[in-house]
């Protein structure tokens, strides 16, 4: 193995590994048992066939759903805090760092808002717009030739979702495809 400066590094590797406890001298076996008790806490010693074994109580792990519930409650709070008003919504700063995969969200929004689409050009336009971190007013302007009067309402709908995911990411929460209605 070489380091950046080109100097070789010597490694000591043992293929034999540690000796099994039952092959050790009786006084060494006691030391291993004491060492294990020190590492794992107090346990009970049990002698089986001349070999002392240490029984260590299992630690019960708590996987209560309380953390998940707190995260869902926090997501609901964030969801309620996303502005509905166009002026206020378009002024919110987006944290783009945590936003990566826009396509499923955009596709879901388009189908929900416009119905089934024949081609994905409009979806790809919105996805590329978001990947390029362009603002919401530019999105409205880009959608107007296709959606006409509905462009602004649709852009607000998309932008609310972007803001929601950005705010959730800022608090290290996973939205898990939770949508804003």
């Amino acid at each position: 193995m070489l380091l950046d400066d080109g100097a070789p590094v010597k490694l000591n590797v043992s293929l034999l590994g540690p000796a099994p406890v039952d092959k050790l001298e009786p006084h060494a076996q006691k030391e291993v048992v004491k060492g294990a008790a020190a590492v794992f806490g107090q346990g009970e010693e049990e002698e089986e066939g001349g070999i002392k074994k240490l029984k260590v109580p299992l630690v019960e792990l708590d996987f209560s759903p309380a953390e998940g519930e707190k995260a869902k409650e926090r997501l609901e709070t964030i969801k309620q805090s996303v502005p509905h008003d166009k002026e206020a919504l378009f002024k919110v700063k987006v944290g783009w760092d945590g936003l990566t995969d826009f396509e499923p969200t955009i596709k879901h929004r388009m189908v929900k808002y416009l119905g089934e689409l024949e081609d994905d050009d409009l979806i790809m336009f919105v996805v590329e717009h978001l990947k390029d971190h362009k603002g919401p007013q530019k999105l409205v302007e880009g959608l107007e030739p296709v959606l006409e009067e509905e462009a602004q309402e649709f852009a607000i709908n998309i932008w609310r979702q972007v803001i929601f995911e950005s705010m959730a990411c800022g608090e290290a929460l996973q939205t898990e495809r939770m949508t804003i209605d």
Side-chain angles (χ1 to χ4, degrees), residues 33 36-38 40-46 53-57:
V33 170
F40 295 110
Q42 296 293 52
E44 297 176 15
E45 286 186 22
E46 179 181 281
K53 293 185 177 181
L54 180 67
K55 284 184 144 183
V56 180

Side-chain angles (χ1 to χ4, degrees), residues 5 10 17 31 49 51 55 64 67 69 71 77 88 98 100 103 136 138 141 146 165 168 180-181:
D5 63 0
K10 289 186 178 183
E31 291 301 316
I51 300 173
K55 284 184 144 183
S64 65
E67 288 298 318
E69 291 300 318
T77 304
T100 54
E103 193 169 348
K138 293 272 188 197
E141 293 167 7
V146 178
E165 292 193 23
I180 285 189
D181 295 324

Side-chain angles (χ1 to χ4, degrees), residues 20-164:
V21 176
D22 61 340
K23 301 286 186 204
L24 296 175
E25 297 292 324
H27 71 281
Q29 287 180 3
K30 289 179 185 177
E31 291 301 316
V32 169
V33 170
K34 285 179 187 175
V39 171
F40 295 110
Q42 296 293 52
E44 297 176 15
E45 286 186 22
E46 179 181 281
E47 191 166 329
E48 184 178 299
I51 300 173
K52 287 187 177 180
K53 293 185 177 181
L54 180 67
K55 284 184 144 183
V56 180
L58 296 175
V59 177
E60 189 172 327
L61 299 176
D62 182 20
F63 291 108
S64 65
E67 288 298 318
E69 291 300 318
K70 287 179 185 177
K72 284 182 183 179
E73 288 174 12
R74 185 66 191 127
L75 284 172
E76 285 298 324
T77 304
I78 292 170
K79 195 175 179 179
Q80 300 304 322
S81 71
V82 175
H84 290 273
D85 177 54
K86 175 189 164 194
E87 309 307 322
L89 179 67
F90 285 8
K91 288 180 183 178
V92 176
K93 185 170 169 70
V94 178
W96 294 105
D97 294 342
L99 305 178
T100 54
D101 189 18
F102 297 106
E103 193 169 348
T105 303
I106 301 306
K107 189 170 191 166
H108 173 77
R109 286 292 194 198
M110 290 241 181
V111 169
K112 184 176 180 180
Y113 191 78
L114 302 171
E116 205 57 42
L117 299 173
E118 293 179 19
D119 61 45
D120 290 345
D121 290 343
L122 195 56
I123 293 170
M124 293 316 297
F125 168 78
V126 175
V127 168
E128 289 303 316
H129 179 89
L130 296 175
K131 281 184 180 179
D132 293 341
H133 304 175
K134 295 180 182 175
Q137 192 56 44
K138 293 272 188 197
L139 180 60
V140 172
E141 293 167 7
L143 292 173
E144 279 179 340
V146 178
L147 299 179
E148 298 169 359
E149 295 92 34
E150 296 174 337
Q152 184 167 318
E153 187 179 335
F154 181 70
I156 289 171
N157 193 312
I158 292 290
W159 209 254
R160 288 191 75 234
Q161 185 69 34
V162 168
I163 296 299
F164 168 65

